[in-house]
Amino acid sequence: MDQFKSKIVRKLPDLLMNDWKNIFLSELGESYFESMQEKLSTIMQTEDVYPPQDAIFQAFNLCSFADTQVVIIGQDPYHGKGQAHGLCFSVPLGIPLPPSLRNIKKELHLDLDVFLTSQDGDLSQWAKQGVLMLNSILTVSDSKPGSHADLGWQQLTSLSIEKISEEKENVVFLLWGNYAQNLAKNIDADKHLLLCSSHPSPLSANRGGWFGNKPFSKTNDYLLAHQKAAIHWL
């Protein structure tokens, strides 16, 4: 049976592997979370859902709360087969780069003044260095962008942003586009750096505000200024 059309074999809380599980402990028993899990299980009976079940919490599992020093916020996962693997904007090795990710790579080249020899779209190495690559909505149905916007994911992901803001200091939040910038209200700008720009999607990027905004070098300058390790973006 297709893994996406089977019932959820493991409960969603069991998919969290590190200190985020304790951060979310109170939420995992809430009625909205139980309802979300039931709705998601029902959807999986008839539709392909991305990312694969074991990757739903990949952003958290690859970047613990303790290690988080940068946050990139996306909206919902890629809705094409094989693209989503639990990290916003990222795709698995061997998958062609979606338009937004191509523009991220272009800005990376312009910002750091380096020639990118690889067109690899897997950004897992960023997550492993402390970059929380978080979609506000963690699942999506095949070819239906925004289809899981009413499941309740935003309550959980907003909590994660609030907890980072409240309990950590000197974190860089990369808020690309209006959707991400609407979450700025959950972040204490006196304790953290908020870098806002247009979204890297072609429609937004070509209007201006994306290319030349230098998010990668600005992030590293801030981290180094606060005695933190710079991110190796390449």
Side-chain angles (χ1 to χ4, degrees):
M1 181 179 290
D2 190 303
Q3 63 173 316
F4 302 118
K5 293 183 180 178
S6 63
K7 66 180 180 180
I8 299 180
V9 178
R10 299 169 63 191
K11 292 289 187 179
L12 286 174
D14 294 336
L15 301 176
L16 281 165
M17 301 300 177
N18 54 26
D19 56 4
W20 281 108
K21 194 164 189 173
N22 292 328
I23 297 292
F24 293 144
L25 196 58
S26 62
E27 297 295 298
L28 301 180
E30 291 291 328
S31 59
Y32 87 88
F33 194 89
E34 293 294 328
S35 174
M36 180 172 64
Q37 182 162 267
E38 291 174 5
K39 290 176 183 176
L40 187 58
S41 183
T42 299
I43 293 170
M44 283 181 164
Q45 306 306 315
T46 58
E47 299 182 12
D48 289 346
V49 171
Y50 309 132
Q53 181 185 167
D54 288 346
I56 289 175
F57 291 131
Q58 187 77 326
F60 298 114
N61 288 335
L62 288 185
C63 179
S64 71
F65 180 82
D67 290 341
T68 299
Q69 58 181 353
V70 180
V71 181
I72 300 177
I73 301 173
Q75 187 165 350
D76 64 346
Y78 294 123
H79 55 273
K81 184 176 182 180
Q83 291 182 307
H85 66 150
L87 306 176
C88 69
F89 297 107
S90 180
V91 293
L93 183 66
I95 298 296
L97 272 59
S100 291
L101 185 50
R102 284 203 299 270
N103 283 339
I104 289 171
K105 290 277 192 175
K106 288 179 182 177
E107 175 58 21
L108 183 62
H109 160 70
L110 294 170
D111 185 0
L112 302 184
D113 192 25
V114 292
F115 180 73
L116 303 181
T117 58
S118 171
Q119 286 302 305
D120 177 11
D122 185 351
L123 306 179
S124 297
Q125 74 275 13
W126 293 5
K128 293 174 182 177
Q129 297 177 77
V131 182
L132 181 65
M133 306 187 64
L134 181 65
N135 279 313
S136 183
I137 304 162
L138 297 185
T139 55
V140 69
S141 290
D142 178 64
S143 304
K144 296 179 181 179
S147 53
H148 293 190
D150 61 350
L151 288 190
W153 283 121
Q154 295 95 322
Q155 188 166 338
L156 187 73
T157 53
S158 292
L159 174 67
S160 70
I161 294 168
E162 292 170 6
K163 287 290 188 181
I164 292 170
S165 178
E166 291 171 3
E167 299 184 20
K168 298 179 73 72
E169 293 184 355
N170 305 130
V171 173
V172 182
F173 290 84
L174 299 176
L175 306 179
W176 297 341
N178 292 333
Y179 184 89
Q181 289 164 29
N182 285 336
L183 296 172
K185 61 182 180 292
N186 299 324
I187 305 166
D188 185 346
D190 293 329
K191 292 172 58 182
H192 308 286
L193 177 64
L194 280 63
L195 294 177
C196 301
S197 73
S198 65
H199 195 275
S201 67
L203 182 62
S204 296
N206 293 333
R207 288 176 178 169
W210 170 251
F211 295 114
N213 83 90
K214 299 183 179 296
F216 308 105
S217 60
K218 288 178 181 177
T219 293
N220 280 351
D221 288 346
Y222 181 84
L223 293 175
L224 291 170
H226 290 87
Q227 291 74 51
K228 295 188 174 185
I231 304 300
H232 183 63
W233 297 108
L234 303 178

